[in-house]
Amino acid sequence: MGRPPCCDKEGVKKGPWTPEEDIILVSYIQEHGPGNWRTVPTNTGLLRCSKSCRLRWTNYLRPGIKRGNFTDQEEKMIIHLQALLGNRWAAIASYLPQRTDNDIKNYWNTYLKKKLNKLETGLSAAHSREGFSSTTSQSMSRGQWERRLQTDIHMAKQALSEALSPDKPPTTLSDFESSNSPVSCNKPPQGSSSYASSTENIARLLKGWMRNPAKPARKSSATATATTTQNNSLRKICAGNESASSEGTQSAANYNSGMEMCEAALESLFGFESFESSNSDLSGSVSPDASLFQDESKPDTPNVDQLPLSLLEKWLFDESAISTTQGKEQQLISNYNDMTLVQNADFFSS
DNA sequence: AACCACGGCAACCGCCTTAAT
DNA sequence: GATTAAGGCGGTTGCCGTGGT
């Protein structure tokens, strides 16, 4: 016999989540923590499959998720990581801890891919204008360059996968990756503050939602027409959550001050505009629930995930060099690094 | 004002890996 | 070791809002 069944498929609700369902889910996770999704539908009474609950949590309700426009820095990072890792959105998302893999994937598919295609066609058009002919020696060198790029990408991927392999010492990338994985959320949080603050946010979310029911967030909230009974039950939940909010506020404040210090340090060190500060103008445009989570912490997220790409790459490939001890690959990777950096500089200066 | 096309995004689907029995 | 479901992930779909005609 294998494991017991997750959830029977009959009577499982599909489609957008209602705020009430969100509250139930968040309340449950606040109490029990994420993980063991199999039991969530039965214990909460939600008519959702466990998978749907997990997805809703990881993509929408989880504390620390930033919504709204992507910054230039994030955009560059995504492009760069996509070139390195391919469509491994979860891996890419681990470098942008405030963004979900779904978010990054959507952003890539709806915007970045098109933007890069445009740039690519623009570049090739410019090349043809400048006399790049398919029969000239220049095209030969371009072909060689492309082949070399392909090889380098392949080698970089290989080195990366080696660096990520589980038999490596515990200071490698895999640690950071795993520390961002949902599994790590199963670990007892460093204090229950993250869930408490999550509750606080949900309470505020509902306050806003009830105060302004005519302007719900898109999709789930939009489809949810708040009935009187719903509001009453939600108010009860809110009242309960309010009491838990004070400790969360404290932890959020601590986190924020820590983040500010970290960002200030990064800014002074690398001259990068910090992710948060460059996003400060988004606060007005994000959905109500999203903005509520802005100040949330992600307990197991290491600060290294906030580092700008150049430093991250340096660290990443230094790690690769240590673990692979293959100088040739390292050389190729650094070549690739140089090339992609130049490419990116070209892309974004245009 | 009505219609249409397009873009954004939440959620679902299906496959693969991991883990429990 | 085999079996089976959970969990994770990437691809895809479908709904809704918005802008153009």
Side-chain angles (χ1 to χ4, degrees):
Chain A
M1 266 295 284
R3 293 167 65 152
C6 147
C7 55
D8 45 331
K9 297 281 180 184
E10 287 171 28
V12 173
K13 191 182 168 191
K14 288 185 180 181
W17 280 65
T18 63
E20 194 175 18
E21 287 176 310
D22 284 345
I23 296 302
I24 292 168
L25 182 59
V26 170
S27 307
Y28 179 82
I29 291 171
Q30 185 229 337
E31 202 174 330
H32 300 92
N36 201 8
W37 296 105
R38 185 170 57 92
T39 61
V40 172
T42 47
N43 289 351
T44 58
L46 285 168
L47 298 173
R48 297 277 180 175
C49 104
S50 57
K51 228 174 179 180
S52 183
C53 293
R54 180 175 56 81
L55 222 57
R56 182 64 179 170
W57 172 256
T58 54
N59 285 340
Y60 202 82
L61 299 171
R62 175 167 61 85
I65 293 176
K66 183 166 76 180
R67 312 200 78 82
N69 296 341
F70 282 71
T71 64
D72 282 351
Q73 199 63 49
E74 287 174 313
E75 195 176 299
K76 286 174 190 174
M77 199 153 177
I78 291 166
I79 291 168
H80 214 93
L81 287 167
Q82 206 278 339
L84 262 178
L85 302 166
N87 293 358
R88 293 179 57 210
W89 306 116
I92 293 170
S94 69
Y95 294 97
L96 297 158
Q98 294 176 310
R99 302 289 188 179
T100 67
D101 54 352
N102 208 34
D103 227 9
I104 293 169
K105 182 172 61 183
N106 282 335
Y107 187 61
W108 175 266
N109 287 330
T110 58
Y111 175 70
L112 279 180
K113 204 158 71 175
K114 291 168 191 169
K115 182 181 177 177
L116 289 177
N117 278 341
K118 272 186 184 176
L119 286 165
E120 204 174 324
T121 52
L123 280 174
S124 57
H127 280 165
S128 60
R129 275 199 306 274
E130 288 159 18
F132 281 83
S133 156
S134 59
T135 53
T136 61
S137 58
Q138 280 169 314
S139 81
M140 286 285 286
S141 63
R142 185 162 181 253
Q144 283 172 347
W145 180 84
E146 280 173 354
R147 275 197 297 278
R148 184 181 159 186
L149 183 61
Q150 286 294 328
T151 311
D152 288 354
I153 290 169
H154 175 72
M155 297 299 264
K157 281 180 179 175
Q158 202 173 358
L160 198 63
S161 67
E162 282 183 33
L164 289 168
S165 66
D167 54 340
K168 294 288 177 286
T171 50
T172 58
L173 180 63
S174 55
D175 289 323
F176 294 109
E177 282 222 324
S178 63
S179 70
N180 281 321
S181 70
V183 177
S184 66
C185 297
N186 297 343
K187 286 183 284 187
Q190 295 150 356
S192 58
S193 58
S194 67
Y195 297 126
S197 58
S198 171
T199 315
E200 179 199 12
N201 286 333
I202 275 293
R204 281 152 54 194
L205 182 159
L206 283 162
K207 272 187 190 171
W209 178 63
M210 287 185 289
R211 209 182 308 133
N212 200 7
K215 188 181 164 285
R218 219 182 132 207
K219 283 279 189 178
S220 61
S221 305
T223 51
T225 49
T227 62
T228 314
T229 36
Q230 274 178 325
N231 280 345
N232 285 341
S233 64
L234 292 172
R235 283 198 184 93
K236 282 178 195 168
I237 298 167
C238 278
N241 289 339
E242 290 274 18
S243 60
S245 66
S246 57
E247 49 182 328
T249 311
Q250 182 62 45
S251 72
N254 290 341
Y255 170 74
N256 280 342
S257 64
M259 283 299 294
E260 281 163 19
M261 284 173 67
C262 178
E263 284 160 13
L266 283 171
E267 232 171 296
S268 63
L269 269 173
F270 306 107
F272 276 94
E273 190 184 6
S274 72
F275 285 37
E276 288 293 322
S277 60
S278 59
N279 263 326
S280 56
D281 58 326
L282 299 172
S283 54
S285 63
V286 293
S287 62
D289 42 346
S291 62
L292 293 170
F293 286 125
Q294 289 290 306
D295 56 354
E296 290 298 323
S297 64
K298 192 182 178 187
D300 299 326
T301 302
N303 285 338
V304 70
D305 285 328
Q306 301 289 334
L307 298 184
L309 188 60
S310 56
L311 180 69
L312 186 77
E313 283 176 323
K314 189 175 184 303
W315 162 79
L316 175 64
F317 290 116
D318 283 348
E319 284 294 332
S320 304
I322 292 163
S323 55
T324 61
T325 64
Q326 293 178 18
K328 197 176 177 182
E329 281 191 14
Q330 180 62 23
Q331 182 59 49
L332 284 167
I333 289 163
S334 70
N335 286 347
Y336 170 70
N337 247 351
D338 293 339
M339 279 193 289
T340 48
L341 285 170
V342 167
Q343 278 182 295
N344 282 347
D346 289 343
F347 282 164
F348 292 100
S349 63
S350 60

